[in-house]
Amino acid sequence: MSPPAQAPCQLILALDLETREEALAMLDRLGGSLKWVKIGLQLFTAYGPDFVREVASRGYHIFLDLKLHDIPNTVAKAVQSIAALPVDLLTLHASGGREMLEWANRARADHAPGLSLLAVTVLTSMDETQLRSLNIDNTPEGQVLHLADITLQTGIQGLVCSSLELGPLRSRFGREPIIVTPGIRPAGSAADEQKRIMTPAAAAAAGSSFIVVGRPILQAAEPAAAAQAIQAELQPSR
Ligand code: C5P
């Protein structure tokens, strides 16, 4: 029997704007052109849970990118608080360790079974020299795989990683884990400061579950058209 077809890769807009007004105006301009929005530390710190509810009330699925990292009890309590919000995906740091990940996943199962947790492995801003300075004697890819092992053993649903790590991660862990990849640039668009980039089509082909895209949509003359063009690239070829 052939394996089940992998779910198509979906687009998440990184709503990296300064004010609530700018963010809501952008969502107005986007109309119904995409389904997922990532709210990060900047807007969450400024406007809090009400802003999350406001975006969700417009019909978007929410990826809350808070990258939690603290003692197990504190992270579990934060997950419990987030269970009261309409959030579908939430990030935490894999480097918080096995116990923190287990406690977070237990809080999720008890209070927010519809929520998926995603562990950030190695930040893409870290290179091998920076890992060495933390006494981590591993390459970034080796460390990503090590942290992914720990994360997925705890039952956590997925990972955030660079698209360049998709191949090794899918080879080792198969199709099941959710893998979210930022650092995506449509062919021909500015890389900005992102270095290790892939096109939407290449990331989808390499096994990304969700791509996160910010500036190529936010700074486009026609954001809705830019979002639609990216989504067209994600359709599996027939
Ligand atoms: O504008 P751009 O498409 O580069 O935005 C990418 C988004 O993904 C930003 O919200 C950024 O914080 C996030 N991100 C990233 N690289 C990571 C993790 C998250 O660019 N390794």
Side-chain angles (χ1 to χ4, degrees):
M1 203 168 69
S2 59
Q6 193 164 328
C9 180
Q10 297 194 66
L11 170 63
I12 302 177
L13 170 69
L15 196 57
D16 294 331
L17 295 166
E18 272 179 35
T19 67
R20 175 183 170 277
E21 290 67 33
E22 279 177 85
L24 296 180
M26 177 55 66
L27 296 181
D28 286 340
R29 289 184 74 187
L30 285 163
S33 58
L34 48 76
K35 297 199 173 95
W36 286 83
V37 168
K38 175 169 93 79
I39 297 174
L41 283 170
Q42 185 177 13
L43 284 173
F44 190 76
T45 310
Y47 303 105
D50 282 346
F51 181 71
V52 173
R53 290 190 195 96
E54 188 159 16
V55 176
S57 74
R58 295 176 175 228
Y60 292 101
H61 293 295
I62 306 292
F63 172 13
L64 190 57
D65 189 15
L66 299 186
K67 297 190 176 70
L68 304 174
H69 188 169
D70 209 315
I71 60 170
N73 184 56
T74 302
V75 169
K77 295 289 183 199
V79 171
Q80 186 174 339
S81 295
I82 288 161
L85 294 177
V87 171
D88 300 275
L89 299 171
L90 172 70
T91 49
L92 71 180
H93 271 286
S95 51
R98 188 184 300 275
E99 202 181 353
M100 187 202 86
L101 297 165
E102 283 170 353
W103 282 50
N105 197 34
R106 210 170 312 128
R108 179 205 67 79
D110 290 346
H111 302 283
L115 175 70
S116 293
L117 296 177
L118 304 173
V120 176
T121 51
V122 178
L123 292 170
T124 47
S125 53
M126 302 284 290
D127 58 15
E128 196 161 341
T129 309
Q130 293 198 49
L131 291 182
R132 286 268 143 72
S133 75
L134 296 175
N135 252 354
I136 297 170
D137 190 17
N138 207 343
T139 60
E141 184 184 307
Q143 185 66 359
V144 167
L145 286 166
H146 174 62
L147 290 171
D149 249 333
I150 295 174
T151 297
L152 297 172
Q153 281 166 16
T154 69
I156 278 190
Q157 294 70 43
L159 304 161
V160 181
C161 68
S162 137
S163 49
L164 302 181
E165 284 132 20
L166 281 164
L169 286 168
R170 287 290 181 215
S171 305
R172 175 148 355 164
F173 302 106
R175 291 176 166 183
E176 185 143 344
I178 302 169
I179 304 186
V180 177
T181 52
I184 302 292
R185 287 294 178 270
S189 75
D192 304 302
E193 85 290 18
Q194 298 275 19
K195 292 188 181 66
R196 308 200 310 147
I197 55 179
M198 244 190 210
T199 64
S208 183
S209 314
F210 291 93
I211 57 168
V212 178
V213 181
R215 288 162 288 180
I217 297 173
L218 299 173
Q219 296 176 358
E222 296 289 344
Q228 278 158 358
I230 291 170
Q231 289 180 112
E233 269 199 59
L234 297 179
Q235 298 310 311
S237 47
R238 289 163 208 288

